[in-house]
Structure formats: C-alpha cells, structure tokens
Amino acid sequence: MTDATLPEQIALKLRRDILRGTLAPGDPIKERDNALDLGVSRTPLREAVRILAKEGLVLLRPSRSPVVADPSLKEVRDAVVVLQALETLSGELACREASDAEIAEIRALFERHHALSETAEGDALIELFEVDMAFHTAIARASHNPALAETHAAYLARMWRQRYLSAVQRRARERVRSQHENIVLGLEARDPARVGAEINAHLAALINNLTRLFEAREAGRDTTSNERDIE
Amino acid sequence: MTDATLPEQIALKLRRDILRGTLAPGDPIKERDNALDLGVSRTPLREAVRILAKEGLVLLRPSRSPVVADPSLKEVRDAVVVLQALETLSGELACREASDAEIAEIRALFERHHALSETAEGDALIELFEVDMAFHTAIARASHNPALAETHAAYLARMWRQRYLSAVQRRARERVRSQHENIVLGLEARDPARVGAEINAHLAALINNLTRLFEAREAGRDTTSNERDIE
DNA sequence: CAATCGCATCTGGTATACCAAAAATCTGTT
DNA sequence: AACAGATTTTTGGTATACCAGATGCGATTG
C-alpha cells in the first residue's frame, strides 16, 4: 500500500502535465479517456479532477467537460496579492515561532537555490524552480500555523505554471537572489518588520514580472529570448 | 435547472448539521449509513464529504471513517489569524476597489445586524449570526478579488460554529457593534489604514473571546467526564 | 443552397456491486 | 482469568453499469 491515495497520485500526475504544458490551457479533461489512459476507473480520476479544481488548476462546468484553467492577468494578479498577504504573515509569524533548525533549513534552501540559479539550464530549470518553491513553502511551514501553510501551498500550486515562466527568466535571477537573501537575514535576525517588508517586495516584483510576461505573450511570439515555447 | 449539484446539496445539509451541533465533533460520518439516510448513493455523499473536508469541517483519515472536526484552541486561533490577514487585506482593497453601492450595502448589513442584535433571542440568533457573516462576506467581495473572497469565505465557513458560539454572547455585542461601525466609517472614508486597523482589532477581539470560550468549555468538560464514561 | 429539426452519440452524474484492509470480538490456550 | 491469534464484520476504496442531458452532424425541406 502506498502512502499517497490513488486519487492523489492521479492528481499529482495531471498537475505535472498541466504545469509542464502537456495539458494545454483550455484542454478538456474527459473522464473516460483519461481514466482509460491511466489504467484506472472513472471514480478516482473524478476525485482527482475535483482536487485540481479546488486548487484552481481546472475549471468545473456543469454538464460539461472540465477544462484546464487559463487564468487571465487579473486572476493571476489577484492570486499573487493573496499569496503576498499569506506569505508576509508567514514570515512575520516565523520570526516568532520558527526553531533555529528551521531557519537554518531555509538558509540551506536559499544557498542551494542560489547555486543552481547560476548554472541551471534546460531541464535543470525544473529543479531550480522546485527549490524555489521549497524555499517559500519552508517559510510558510516555519510559521507553525498548519492552516496558513496549507492555504499558502494551495496558492503556490495554483500559480505553479505562471511562477515557473517567471522564474526561468535570467534577468530576474539576481534580484531574486538578493531578495531571498534579505528574507533569510531578516529571519535570522528574527525581525518581523524586515521579513514582512522583504517578502512584500519580493512578491510585488513577481507581480510586475508576471504582468510583463503577460503583455509579452499578448503582443506575440517575437520575444523568444526568455519565454520558452510550451504550447 | 440544477443550480445546486447533488453533492453540494448534501454538503449543505451536512454542514448545517455539523454547525448546529446535530452532528457532534468527533462523530464518524459513515458513507453507507448517511447515504441510506439521505436516500442517495454513496458516490455523491462521498463527494460531499470531500467538500466538507476541504473546508476543514470534517477530517479525512486513511482507511477510516471521516470524523467531524473537533478543532483545538490552537487550530481555531491559527485559523482566525489567517482570517484576520485575509479580511484586513479585503478591507484595504475594498477602500480602493469597492463601488459606492457596495459600501452602501455593507452599511445596510451593519444597520440590520445592529437592529437584530438588540432584540434577537433563541432561534432568531441564527439570523443575527447569518447577517454577521454576510457583513464580513460583503467586505471580502468588495475587494473585487474573487480568489480572496473565496478563500475568505472558506475560512469563515470553517469556523462557523466557533463564531456562532462567540456571537451569541450578549456581553460581546456592544463591542461588536462599535467595531463594525468603525469599519463601515473607514470604508466610507475610503481610508485603508483605518479599515485595516479596525478589522485587525475586531478579529483580535474574536480571538480573545474564543480563547475564553474554550477555557470555559474545558472546565465544563472535566465535570461531565464521568457521565460520558458510564454511558 | 441554407436553415432547421431530429437522431445518434458522447459526456458527466448517479447508483451499485465487488474488493481489500482494519477493527473488534470471540475462542482457545496458558 | 488474561492474553494472543484468528475470524468475522464493518468500512472505505475502486470498478462498472446505467441514466439523463447536451452537442454535433446529417438529412430533409422551404
């Protein structure tokens, strides 16, 4: 018996497919076909789809195939604003609640992210990005508020794809590194105001970055230097 | 016209049962029995349980009956802290985004709540409370950030029962009224700092209130523990 | 030739039957 | 009488069969 329940496993697989682009935004997810493809029955696949729907990755429509979500700029921005509030709160609480070991772990993730960010190319970018996610998730967990950590993780997952596109850009890496470092320093000093301000700034920059990305995508395919073609 | 899907309807019924106390915390929710009781099959009931699980009202355990959640004081407090952040953000955004009509609606809810709070007794307390919920929900919606409103609503629902127990108390009503009024005034002045501070204070008071309630309940539980053992 | 009506089919929603794991109980032994 | 093991029963997990509604295509008619 595996730790993860079957619907969770299916959800995980579908999530990766969605976020990597194998399942393009707008694609319908037909219960029967996908169930057959994965060799499972419709029931657990159905549950998996519900999980993804709750995460905001797929859209449920009454009496219609669920479709992979294709969030507008406003929707992404709205979500990041919430994420900003959640993560700022996490950081402030972590200053009070986190153990030294947890803060050390956060620093370790920062260092690893930094190292990877200098060399990573191609497929390694996914690892780079997963370390990035782990960094932010670790902060949320360090708040010692499970509900907060869970909601934070949900928002993070919801924007996996957008954040991925953003994190891949070379131009943003130096800024990200410096902001991450400031966050870590703030945590080590256990200075809530500083950590809060740094996280706020970090996510505000993310919003700008995503906005630019969206506008570039709207404009056309000419700007291929940073944006990798997924579809 | 199936505005409400069957699982949603079931979830609604179970939610009311849980929050009104018909289904006591710790009670198992057995798929078969409940499905038979409600005259539906296990499949939609199963989905309903998942919905409630995502809302935090029931706890899912691997290979075990889901049980009605019985949150500890820390869990409730953690959730309120998140709610505080979400609602504060809502209020601040609402100052910028809300239409005059929306703010007027919020004021109307405040007036209605105030009026009810002077007279309500017995069953009318539920209406009083629902107006209270509507007031806070309206603020979240006035942020014009659907994701935020949705998450906020989820947290509100999760703590329906705790908030209900708190809101029923006579002693807190005057404080609640004055804080609600300050929030409305802040919104009408479109002063984010003021609204944020007032909402923060309001929910901080809620935390205190809930803490007191929990301590009272713990004391009461000890005296009745013998009866429970005898059955 | 186009528009519309109807039928075939595809899709999700629901019910039910089957399976495997876990809990409780009962029995046999010490 | 107490403890351990096995069996039975209860439970959730999964697969599948059935149903109703929506959709798209095609034929027929104006």
Side-chain angles (χ1 to χ4, degrees), chain B residues 6 10-11 13-15 17-18 22-24 27-49 52 58 65-68:
Chain B
L6 183 53
I10 300 172
K13 193 219 176 308
L14 289 177
R15 196 178 305 133
D17 283 352
I18 290 174
T22 311
L23 256 57
D27 277 6
I29 302 192
K30 300 180 223 181
E31 290 192 355
R32 258 172 259 265
D33 295 3
N34 286 71
L36 217 62
D37 285 357
L38 297 171
V40 300
S41 114
R42 286 175 55 201
T43 316
L45 184 130
R46 187 183 177 68
E47 274 201 34
V49 169
L52 297 178
V58 306
S65 278
V67 292
V68 177

Side-chain angles (χ1 to χ4, degrees), chain B residues 26-205:
Chain B
D27 277 6
I29 302 192
K30 300 180 223 181
E31 290 192 355
R32 258 172 259 265
D33 295 3
N34 286 71
L36 217 62
D37 285 357
L38 297 171
V40 300
S41 114
R42 286 175 55 201
T43 316
L45 184 130
R46 187 183 177 68
E47 274 201 34
V49 169
R50 300 308 164 118
I51 293 174
L52 297 178
K54 144 190 138 197
E55 292 176 1
L57 287 177
V58 306
L59 243 53
L60 251 46
R61 306 170 303 175
S63 304
R64 202 72 123 268
S65 278
V67 292
V68 177
D70 188 9
S72 66
L73 172 58
K74 179 184 186 313
E75 283 166 339
V76 172
R77 218 194 259 141
D78 281 353
V80 179
V81 167
V82 178
L83 186 67
Q84 193 175 22
L86 293 172
E87 196 158 328
T88 300
L89 175 62
S90 295
E92 289 165 355
L93 290 177
C95 289
R96 207 158 31 86
E97 302 292 340
S99 68
D100 289 343
E102 283 169 327
I103 291 182
E105 188 201 330
I106 292 171
R107 167 168 282 282
L109 284 168
F110 157 64
E111 309 273 10
R112 185 146 158 249
H113 181 263
H114 178 34
L116 277 172
S117 113
E118 307 232 300
T119 63
E121 276 307 327
D123 276 358
L125 284 174
I126 290 179
E127 192 193 346
L128 167 68
F129 185 60
E130 280 172 347
V131 174
D132 190 4
M133 298 277 288
F135 175 77
H136 291 279
T137 301
I139 293 175
R141 265 189 292 112
S143 72
H144 286 215
N145 183 328
L148 175 56
E150 190 188 323
T151 305
H152 175 269
Y155 269 87
L156 222 50
R158 190 186 194 131
M159 294 185 303
W160 214 93
R161 185 166 168 72
Q162 278 74 34
R163 287 187 65 124
Y164 177 74
L165 293 177
S166 169
V168 162
Q169 301 184 309
R170 271 217 159 282
R171 57 200 300 283
R173 289 194 199 169
E174 170 50 27
R175 170 183 58 72
V176 168
R177 191 207 59 75
S178 121
Q179 288 181 330
H180 280 188
E181 182 170 37
N182 282 332
I183 293 170
V184 172
L185 289 172
L187 282 171
E188 285 168 344
R190 295 192 180 266
D191 179 348
R194 180 176 175 191
V195 171
E198 291 296 342
I199 291 178
N200 241 305
H202 184 41
L203 291 184

Side-chain angles (χ1 to χ4, degrees), chain A:
Chain A
M1 193 61 178
T2 53
D3 275 36
T5 164
L6 184 53
E8 279 292 352
Q9 291 177 29
I10 300 172
L12 183 67
K13 192 217 177 311
L14 289 177
R15 195 178 306 137
R16 294 192 79 94
D17 283 352
I18 291 174
L19 297 171
R20 291 193 168 187
T22 311
L23 258 55
D27 276 6
I29 303 194
K30 299 178 223 182
E31 285 192 359
R32 257 172 261 265
D33 295 2
N34 285 72
L36 217 61
D37 285 356
L38 297 171
V40 299
S41 117
R42 286 174 56 202
T43 316
L45 184 130
R46 187 182 177 69
E47 274 201 35
V49 169
R50 301 308 164 118
I51 292 174
L52 297 178
K54 145 190 138 197
E55 291 176 2
L57 287 177
V58 307
L59 244 53
L60 252 45
R61 305 172 302 176
S63 304
R64 202 72 124 269
S65 279
V67 293
V68 177
D70 189 8
S72 68
L73 173 57
K74 179 185 184 316
E75 283 166 337
V76 172
R77 218 195 260 140
D78 281 354
V80 179
V81 167
V82 178
L83 186 67
Q84 192 175 24
L86 293 173
E87 196 158 330
T88 300
L89 176 62
S90 294
E92 289 165 354
L93 291 177
C95 287
R96 211 161 22 91
E97 302 292 340
S99 68
D100 289 343
E102 282 169 328
I103 291 182
E105 187 201 332
I106 293 170
R107 168 168 280 281
L109 285 167
F110 157 65
E111 309 273 10
R112 184 146 157 248
H113 181 262
H114 177 35
L116 277 171
S117 114
E118 307 233 296
T119 63
E121 276 307 327
D123 276 357
L125 285 173
I126 291 179
E127 192 193 345
L128 167 68
F129 184 59
E130 280 173 347
V131 174
D132 189 3
M133 298 279 287
F135 175 76
H136 290 278
T137 301
I139 294 174
R141 265 188 292 114
S143 72
H144 286 214
N145 183 329
L148 175 56
E150 190 187 324
T151 304
H152 176 269
Y155 268 86
L156 221 50
R158 189 186 194 132
M159 296 184 303
W160 214 94
R161 185 156 196 281
Q162 279 72 33
R163 287 188 64 125
Y164 177 73
L165 293 177
S166 169
V168 161
Q169 300 185 308
R170 272 217 159 281
R171 57 200 299 284
R173 290 193 198 169
E174 171 49 27
R175 171 184 57 73
V176 167
R177 190 207 59 75
S178 123
Q179 287 182 329
H180 279 189
E181 182 169 37
N182 281 333
I183 293 170
V184 172
L185 289 172
L187 282 171
E188 286 169 343
R190 297 193 179 263
D191 179 348
R194 181 175 175 192
V195 171
E198 291 296 342
I199 290 179
N200 241 305
H202 184 40
L203 290 185
L206 176 62
I207 293 178
N208 287 336
N209 214 1
L210 289 173
T211 303
R212 208 169 29 239
L213 231 71
F214 254 83
E215 281 161 1
R217 199 179 70 170
E218 288 302 314
R221 302 283 176 83
D222 303 337
T223 57
T224 53
S225 53
N226 290 325
E227 189 179 1
R228 291 159 57 87
D229 180 68
I230 301 288
E231 297 177 354

